[in-house]
Amino acid sequence: GQEALPPAEPCPAWHALPSAMLENVLDLCDVYHTRARAGASIPTGLFVHLDPVPFLTTLCLVMASDNHVRDPSLRGRAVKLMHSLCFAFSSWQEQLNQPPLVKHLIPCLVGVFVAVEKAILSYYDLAYRYKYELRIPVIDLFDLALQHKEHQQVLHEFVQGVGNDRFLKLLTQLINDSNSQTEEALRTVKEYHLRQEQQGRAQQHASPPSSSDDSAAHDEEVLGDDQTEEGEDVYRQSRMKYKEHARKYFALASKTWRQLWLLCKHCAGAIVAGRTILEQLLHSSLDAQLHYLVGPEMKYIKASPQEYEELGFNPKQMIRQITEIYLFLARVDRDEVARIVAKDERYYSAATFSKAVVFVRKYGLLGGAHLNEFGSFVKDLAEMVSSQRAAFDEADIPANYLCEMMADIMSDPVMFPQSRKVVDRWVAERQIMGADRDPYANTPLKVEELIPLPELKEEIHGFAKEKGIALEGGNMFD
C-alpha cells in the first residue's frame, strides 16, 4: 500500500496479458450493470462473490496509468464502474478509505480526469457530452473522498509534489468545462427567452411564424459535417428542446463548479503559486461568470424562481461558490489575486463586484465575517484597479517590455527557442500546458526548454518600480 499505484512502467507480466482482457472484464461488468437498471440497483449475483479490495485496486490501476492502459475511453469506463459499485454497496465504498486505496484513489482520479480529455467522441457529439459523462463519476468520487481528512492529506501531498503538473492540467480542464457548460446552459436560456419574445410579437401582429424563426434562434452555421446522411442537424435538433438542453447543462455545470470549489478550498496555495492557472481561473472563469450572473448580461437570463427550479439553475449557489473561491485565493496572497483581477479589462467592473456584494448580503449567502471579508476585498480591488490603470495610462512602456502574445508588460520574459518570440513566462507555460508546442513555430516544446532573459527582466522590473506598476509575483526591487 506504500508503493506508487500503478508502478511507473508496466512489468513483463503485464505485457503478456491479452490486450482485450481488461475490456472483456469491463464488458462483463457492464452487462450486469445494464441488466440491473430496470430494478434500480446493481444485481449482487456477481459482485457479492468478489473481494472489493483487489477489484477496486485493479480499477485504480486502469484509471491511473497512461503506460498501462492507453485507451482513455477504457479508463473512463473503469471509473464509471467504480462509481456504480461504490454508490451501490456501502461496504465497497468503505474500502476507499482503507489501505491501500486511501493512498492511491486521489492520484488515480486526477489521472483519469485528465486522460478522458482525449476520449474518442461520437462523430456528432459537438457538445462533448461523452467526455462529460466520463468525468461526472470522477467528480462524484472526488466529492465523496474529500469528505475525509485522509484523502485531503493525500491530495495536499500529491499537489505539492509529483502530481503538481497533472493537478494543474486537471484544473485547466475543469475551468474549461465549467465555462463551456455554464455558457451553453445560459445561452440556451437566453435563446429560449428570445424565441418567446419573437412568438409573442408574431401573435400580436397575427402573422404565423415564418420558416426561418427556428433558425433565427440559433447562431451555429449548419455544416455538412454536422449532419446525418439524411441531412438532419443533430446538434441543433438537440438544442431545439430548450429547457431539456439547458437543464442537462446546468446539472453538469453544478457538479463541475462544486468540484472547482472543492479544489480551491483544499489547494488554494498551489493554485496561487501556479500563476498561470491563477490568471486563467480568475479571468476566464470567476470574473466572467460574475459578469454574466450579476453584471450587464444578467438581464438576458432573468426568470421566475419557478423557471429556475424547472431548469435546475441555482444562481445563488453559484454566486456563493464564486465569492468563496475569491476568498480562498485571497487568503493565500491578497495582493497578487487583486493584481491579476485588476488586469482583466474584459470582465472586471467595480460596479459588477459591488453588485455581487449587495447580492450576497441580500440573500445571506456569506456569514457576517466572510461577508465583511469579501466586501473589504472588493473595496481594495477597486482602489488597486484605479491606481494601476492610472499608472499604465501615464507610463510610456517600451515595446520590448510587452509580451508579444498578450501585449501586456512582462514580469519574467522568456523566448521560445524555435520561433524566437518573447513572451511572459506564464503565457508560455499556459501555451505549453495546453499543447506542448511552440505556438508560433508549431514545434514540440517543454517548459524547461524556454530561454530566460534575465537582463531584460531586470530592466522591466526597474522600469515598473519607477512607474509604480505592479508585476506578476511582485517586483525584484521591492
Side-chain angles (χ1 to χ4, degrees):
Q2 300 301 318
E3 297 181 359
L5 179 68
E9 296 296 334
C11 64
W14 179 268
H15 287 301
L17 292 173
S19 59
M21 182 174 178
L22 285 174
E23 189 169 354
N24 291 339
V25 170
L26 290 178
D27 284 341
L28 177 63
C29 294
D30 284 343
V31 167
Y32 273 80
H33 181 208
T34 303
R35 286 175 57 192
R37 286 181 180 172
S41 65
I42 297 179
T44 59
L46 171 65
F47 300 103
V48 74
H49 300 293
L50 295 177
D51 183 343
V53 175
F55 194 86
L56 291 173
T57 303
T58 301
L59 291 179
C60 272
L61 189 150
V62 175
M63 290 156 48
S65 174
D66 292 324
N67 294 327
H68 289 73
V69 181
R70 298 184 183 277
D71 182 357
S73 296
L74 187 62
R75 295 167 69 182
R77 288 178 59 194
V79 77
K80 287 180 69 175
L81 179 58
M82 175 182 284
H83 177 274
S84 299
L85 292 169
C86 290
F87 279 86
F89 305 127
S90 59
S91 59
W92 286 59
Q93 186 177 128
E94 290 169 2
Q95 293 300 324
L96 299 180
N97 305 317
Q98 305 296 327
L101 293 166
V102 71
K103 291 291 186 182
H104 304 300
L105 179 63
I106 292 295
C108 291
L109 290 175
V110 173
V112 72
F113 190 98
V114 172
V116 299
E117 180 73 15
K118 298 179 180 178
I120 298 175
L121 306 178
S122 164
Y123 188 69
Y124 298 108
D125 189 12
L126 304 183
Y128 307 110
R129 283 186 290 271
Y130 178 62
K131 178 179 72 175
Y132 297 150
E133 287 173 3
L134 294 180
R135 282 183 170 163
I136 291 303
V138 182
I139 290 173
D140 287 343
L141 288 169
F142 252 119
D143 199 347
L144 183 68
L146 290 180
Q147 297 175 25
H148 301 272
K149 291 183 178 180
E150 296 85 355
H151 290 290
Q152 294 173 15
Q153 181 62 30
V154 170
L155 175 64
H156 177 76
E157 294 173 358
F158 180 74
V159 168
Q160 297 295 332
V162 296
N164 184 260
D165 287 346
R166 276 180 289 170
F167 173 73
L168 294 180
K169 284 188 176 181
L170 178 148
L171 273 177
T172 297
Q173 293 169 6
L174 263 180
I175 291 168
N176 293 338
D177 285 358
S178 65
N179 291 342
S180 60
Q181 291 162 2
T182 305
E183 289 167 6
E184 179 70 15
L186 293 177
R187 184 172 67 164
T188 305
V189 172
K190 180 179 176 180
E191 290 180 0
Y192 174 67
H193 290 162
L194 289 174
R195 182 176 174 83
Q196 286 184 315
E197 291 177 7
Q198 291 172 352
Q199 291 176 342
R201 287 195 297 268
Q203 291 174 358
Q204 288 177 358
H205 292 84
S207 59
S210 67
S211 60
S212 63
D213 282 348
D214 286 346
S215 60
H218 300 273
D219 56 7
E220 299 91 1
E221 180 183 0
V222 183
L223 304 175
D225 287 348
D226 299 341
Q227 299 174 342
T228 64
E229 294 179 358
E230 293 76 23
E232 178 185 34
D233 176 13
V234 176
Y235 183 48
R236 181 168 296 179
Q237 183 190 48
S238 168
R239 296 188 66 240
M240 289 303 292
K241 300 177 181 179
Y242 289 94
K243 290 190 176 182
E244 179 182 336
H245 190 81
R247 185 163 52 248
K248 180 183 299 181
Y249 277 87
F250 277 131
L252 289 170
S254 176
K255 285 182 175 289
T256 305
W257 271 102
R258 174 164 173 78
Q259 172 74 355
L260 194 58
W261 176 86
L262 269 175
L263 293 180
C264 290
K265 178 181 179 181
H266 293 292
C267 305
I271 296 171
V272 173
R275 307 291 181 182
T276 302
I277 198 69
L278 177 62
E279 181 152 338
Q280 183 183 3
L281 173 61
L282 290 170
H283 287 191
S284 65
S285 194
L286 303 184
D287 297 353
Q289 297 308 329
L290 211 58
H291 171 81
Y292 286 109
L293 292 171
V294 299
E297 297 292 322
M298 69 176 295
K299 61 184 177 182
Y300 296 111
I301 60 171
K302 278 188 174 180
S304 66
Q306 292 78 12
E307 183 176 341
Y308 281 159
E309 184 176 356
E310 184 180 354
L311 295 173
F313 178 37
N314 190 339
K316 295 177 184 177
Q317 174 181 288
M318 193 170 175
I319 292 171
R320 179 185 62 80
Q321 289 173 332
I322 290 172
T323 54
E324 287 186 337
I325 291 174
Y326 279 117
L327 293 180
F328 295 151
L329 301 174
R331 288 166 190 160
V332 176
D333 192 335
R334 186 186 183 96
D335 290 342
E336 181 65 6
V337 172
R339 185 195 67 80
I340 292 177
V341 175
K343 288 173 56 181
D344 187 0
E345 296 186 2
R346 181 177 183 183
Y347 290 118
Y348 172 76
S349 162
T352 296
F353 274 70
S354 296
K355 285 183 180 179
V357 174
V358 173
F359 188 95
V360 169
R361 180 184 296 113
K362 178 179 179 180
Y363 293 102
L365 303 183
L366 294 177
H370 292 166
L371 176 61
N372 292 336
E373 184 182 3
F374 183 64
S376 174
F377 172 74
V378 169
K379 181 180 178 181
D380 292 347
L381 183 59
E383 293 174 356
M384 174 174 282
V385 170
S386 178
S387 63
Q388 280 298 297
R389 291 183 178 175
F392 270 99
D393 291 341
E394 294 173 4
D396 184 13
I397 303 175
N400 64 320
Y401 291 0
L402 300 177
C403 172
E404 293 193 46
M405 183 172 289
M406 303 301 292
D408 194 8
I409 189 168
M410 296 179 285
S411 63
D412 188 4
V414 294
M415 180 185 292
F416 288 117
Q418 296 296 325
S419 63
R420 314 298 290 179
K421 297 290 186 179
V422 177
V423 301
D424 211 348
R425 178 176 291 277
W426 73 265
V427 176
E429 290 180 352
R430 182 171 177 177
Q431 293 295 318
I432 295 171
M433 186 182 299
D436 295 322
R437 305 185 77 80
D438 180 328
Y440 294 99
N442 196 29
T443 53
L445 182 64
K446 297 180 180 179
V447 170
E448 53 267 27
E449 295 172 343
L450 294 169
I451 302 172
L453 302 173
E455 293 181 359
L456 178 58
K457 177 179 178 178
E458 186 173 342
E459 286 183 29
I460 293 172
H461 281 245
F463 176 84
K465 178 71 173 178
E466 178 185 348
K467 300 296 183 180
I469 297 174
L471 296 176
E472 179 187 355
N475 194 298
M476 63 191 299
F477 296 112
D478 286 344

